[in-house]
Amino acid sequence: MNLAASQGFLEALALLNSEASDLCASYELQRLPDAPDLATALGLRVEDYALNMIEPARDLPAALWQIKLAPCARAQLEQVCQRWFFSSRHMQVAPPGRFRAQLVARFLESLDEALGGFSLHAVTMAPPSGFWYAIHWDEIAFELGDERYLLHFSHSD
């Protein structure tokens, strides 16, 4: 499985969608921790995030995040990508129509090459009170057997 093309695509688009101000875009495709099911894997990810990605580190059990999963159709994935790929003022000047559709289509082709056959799940959560996760975000999980990945889009300051 080759995720490098999808990850490179996301890194470039995150740079293009980071505002000139202090707004930072984070677009990532990451393998989720091994777990018996998708919900547990997502819980392990947010627990790790709270312990290792923020200062000061906090022990926040997965149950506090109120993680929910819902089936996600391909059209919803396309809409999420369209919204995030053209979220900054800079990228909103990109020509509408064919250019934008082709950019999203090329990214989805790279995802299909890496994760074709995986089921998609929209992820929603409510981080624990008093904990900062991002200004806004969208996440879609991919699952096939015991292999799971998370597509993460967010803006932070």
Side-chain angles (χ1 to χ4, degrees), residues 109-127:
E109 284 175 14
S110 74
L111 266 183
D112 287 342
E113 288 177 19
L115 302 175
F118 280 62
S119 60
L120 283 70
H121 307 272
V123 180
T124 57
M125 64 181 168

Side-chain angles (χ1 to χ4, degrees), residues 35-100:
D37 56 60
L38 180 56
T40 303
L42 289 162
L44 291 170
R45 179 195 168 264
V46 295
E47 289 174 353
D48 181 70
Y49 181 86
L51 284 172
N52 297 304
M53 300 301 290
I54 61 153
E55 294 287 333
R58 306 216 6 226
D59 182 16
L60 299 170
L64 296 176
W65 292 77
Q66 302 173 44
I67 299 169
K68 293 183 178 55
L69 298 166
C72 178
R74 174 73 172 212
Q76 184 179 350
L77 173 61
E78 289 177 25
Q79 290 171 349
V80 167
C81 291
Q82 183 77 236
R83 180 172 53 248
W84 284 94
F85 289 2
F86 304 98
S87 65
S88 70
R89 286 182 297 246
H90 173 75
M91 288 299 287
Q92 286 173 5
V93 300
R98 187 169 183 248
F99 173 80
R100 291 183 185 206

Side-chain angles (χ1 to χ4, degrees), residues 1-3 5-7 9-10 28-29 74 77-78 81 85 104-118 120 140 142 149-151 153:
M1 174 177 317
N2 182 3
L3 297 175
S6 298
Q7 290 169 331
F9 220 107
L10 290 170
E28 302 172 18
L29 180 61
R74 174 73 172 212
L77 173 61
E78 289 177 25
C81 291
F85 289 2
V104 171
R106 295 301 167 260
F107 173 69
L108 293 176
E109 284 175 14
S110 74
L111 266 183
D112 287 342
E113 288 177 19
L115 302 175
F118 280 62
L120 283 70
I140 296 178
F142 296 78
Y149 293 86
L150 182 68
L151 178 59
F153 296 101

Side-chain angles (χ1 to χ4, degrees), residues 31-37 41 118 142-149:
R31 186 179 174 109
L32 289 169
D34 290 335
D37 56 60
F118 280 62
F142 296 78
E143 181 178 43
L144 181 62
D146 62 354
E147 205 170 350
R148 300 174 187 95
Y149 293 86

